Amino acid sequence: MSNEKIDRATLTFGDRSVELPVVTGTEGECALDISHLREKTKLVTLDPGLGNTASCFSKITYIDGERGILRYRGIPIEKLVEKVMFIDVAYLLVHGVLPTEEERHNFSQLLNFNSLMHEDMRHFFDLFPHDAHPMHILSTMINAMAAFYPNVDSKSLVENIDQATARVISIVRTMAAFVYKKSIGEPVVYPRHDLSYCANFLNMMFDSPVKPYQIRPETVRLLNILFILHADHEQNCSTTAVRVIGSAQVNLYATISAGISALSGPLHGGANQAVIEMLRTIQEDGDVDKFIKMAKDKSNPFRLMGFGHRVYKIYDPRASIIRRECEQYLKTIHYSDPLLDVAHRIEEAALKDPYFIDHHLYPNVDFYSGILYRAMGIPENMFTAMFALARLPGWVAHWQEMIGSQTKITRPRQVYVGKPLQTSDVFASKNPLLI
Ligand code: ACO
């Protein structure tokens, strides 16, 4: 790393001391480089959940969880949602700079040319149960893309990163819309060359031969904002999955499929669906305080979904924008959602409760996004798939960065706490093969 300040720290263990380099990132955060620690001391480090471990150098996204800052390639997300579209952000994440007009035009063309899914892949839909979760279908189908689009070794994809990015984000969008259409038994709607990325997705989701879909500019604008806000979030669980799996030099599609699987969990991207389910339960019950109490009770597994974050210790900056946009959009389209009122009541109660204050638990990106998706007509089981679509450029950017900078396969150590060598006779029979 060229322009980083290098310093040293001394670690003393028993009667031995070892000097370890300290590296400093662009924004001043310091990290102890322990990569040669075991060689020098036989010690490994232990950090379950990797909450205190920087697993790589990255130039893509910066988060300051204490100050609520999120920037892609140095640009605050607040500025990006005001000034550009999702495809510009996809380009930014992958290339490090926003596209010029010509680059934008070329990238749009690529998105258009790559928007058709291989027709043979449509047979996949016939094999899934009609109520299969979209995230399960997507992870399977994306993994299968390597078979339909061969020659996907890391080198060729990195060399043609625009093509790789366009194929992933364009085809997966088509796939996601097809998943929905199949689930409701309607004919699929093909992508159109004359629509922008987000408008095209909405059209594929909602257009029908018997009821043409009216694309509202405010809905397209909002979807762009939601997608921009979800586009990357540095080393979160799914991105880490992409980087770890990619380090074995598997193809890009397999890594994205792993990212989708990780994202589907309720503690990660699956939280946006879980929030709506929770809000509905609270609405039916009517007693907000009871659920606040349950969330604080350690003997109760209930957690306030959409609250808390590994990195943010104040209000998630994405949640602030989504909350504001949610209120505006609902007004604009004259739509009233009783769940928004429940969400406000929970937020109000939690933000003044000492438990939530002391634990630094604030609404995260998932708390209000589901209410917006509902207002746009997106069904609940598609919420996490929406998150996945938005996160695709982030995963591609991290995969590309990892391939370009990491030469080693990711392979952590462990502290073995199982049985020591079993010396007595542990086998039930002298010769089990003869039984
Ligand atoms: N409700 C109640 N208590 C909570 C919550 C919550 N939502 N989140 C954390 N806590 C408490 C824990 O019980 C724990 O308390 P303790 O220290 O007294 O035992 C403390 O806060 C720390 O919790 P951890 O689980 O250790 O925090 P971690 O950083 O590992 O987890 C996570 C972060 C998974 C997001 C957690 O806050 C959570 O489960 N939130 C609800 C699910 C959710 O909204 N996920 C989406 C996250 S955003 C995203 O992935 C896109």
Side-chain angles (χ1 to χ4, degrees), residues 304-337:
L304 219 44
M305 300 312 283
F307 261 74
H309 196 275
R310 171 64 63 81
V311 180
Y312 293 119
K313 298 304 161 203
I314 65 170
Y315 214 103
D316 182 331
R318 302 166 298 175
S320 313
I321 298 172
I322 295 177
R323 188 190 150 130
R324 182 193 71 210
E325 292 295 333
C326 187
E327 280 155 17
Q328 265 177 25
Y329 182 70
L330 264 56
K331 264 192 211 138
T332 312
I333 64 164
H334 307 292
Y335 175 88
S336 139
D337 188 340

Side-chain angles (χ1 to χ4, degrees), residues 173-356:
R173 171 193 56 173
T174 305
M175 251 178 213
F178 281 20
V179 167
Y180 171 61
K181 283 294 192 192
K182 282 286 179 182
S183 74
I184 56 170
E186 281 191 8
V188 298
V189 175
Y190 281 91
R192 273 174 36 188
H193 68 89
D194 58 335
L195 292 178
S196 68
Y197 183 87
C198 287
N200 227 330
F201 175 70
L202 290 166
N203 192 60
M204 285 191 273
M205 285 284 289
F206 300 122
D207 192 42
S208 133
V210 291
K211 194 168 178 223
Y213 177 63
Q214 298 297 328
I215 303 172
R216 300 175 78 134
E218 55 273 54
T219 309
V220 175
R221 174 186 164 273
L222 194 62
L223 192 56
N224 267 289
I225 290 177
L226 283 167
F227 277 10
I228 290 173
L229 294 177
H230 287 83
D232 192 43
H233 214 231
E234 49 118 304
Q235 310 307 321
N236 58 85
C237 178
S238 52
T239 302
T240 299
V242 165
R243 292 186 84 124
V244 169
I245 289 173
S247 78
Q249 293 185 0
V250 298
N251 67 74
L252 174 64
Y253 306 117
T255 69
I256 302 279
S257 165
I260 300 259
S261 299
L263 190 73
S264 68
L267 295 190
H268 193 11
N272 57 12
Q273 186 178 342
V275 167
I276 292 295
E277 287 157 5
M278 175 191 79
L279 292 178
R280 195 177 299 109
T281 309
I282 300 176
Q283 186 205 10
E284 279 159 17
D285 184 277
D287 187 352
V288 166
D289 291 343
K290 181 170 113 192
F291 288 88
I292 295 281
K293 256 192 214 132
M294 273 164 58
K296 298 190 285 184
D297 178 358
K298 297 292 169 202
S299 64
N300 191 324
F302 175 79
R303 279 188 169 197
L304 219 44
M305 300 312 283
F307 261 74
H309 196 275
R310 171 64 63 81
V311 180
Y312 293 119
K313 298 304 161 203
I314 65 170
Y315 214 103
D316 182 331
R318 302 166 298 175
S320 313
I321 298 172
I322 295 177
R323 188 190 150 130
R324 182 193 71 210
E325 292 295 333
C326 187
E327 280 155 17
Q328 265 177 25
Y329 182 70
L330 264 56
K331 264 192 211 138
T332 312
I333 64 164
H334 307 292
Y335 175 88
S336 139
D337 188 340
L339 297 190
L340 180 61
D341 179 50
V342 180
H344 283 157
R345 281 163 54 211
I346 291 171
E347 182 183 334
E348 202 188 325
L351 294 191
K352 59 181 189 226
D353 187 296
Y355 172 92
F356 288 88

Side-chain angles (χ1 to χ4, degrees), residues 26 34 52 56 84 96 108 128 138 162 199 239 313 337 342 425:
T26 319
I34 50 95
N52 203 53
C56 61
V84 295
S108 288
F128 286 100
L138 283 182
D162 278 345
T239 302
K313 298 304 161 203
D337 188 340
V342 180
D425 191 3

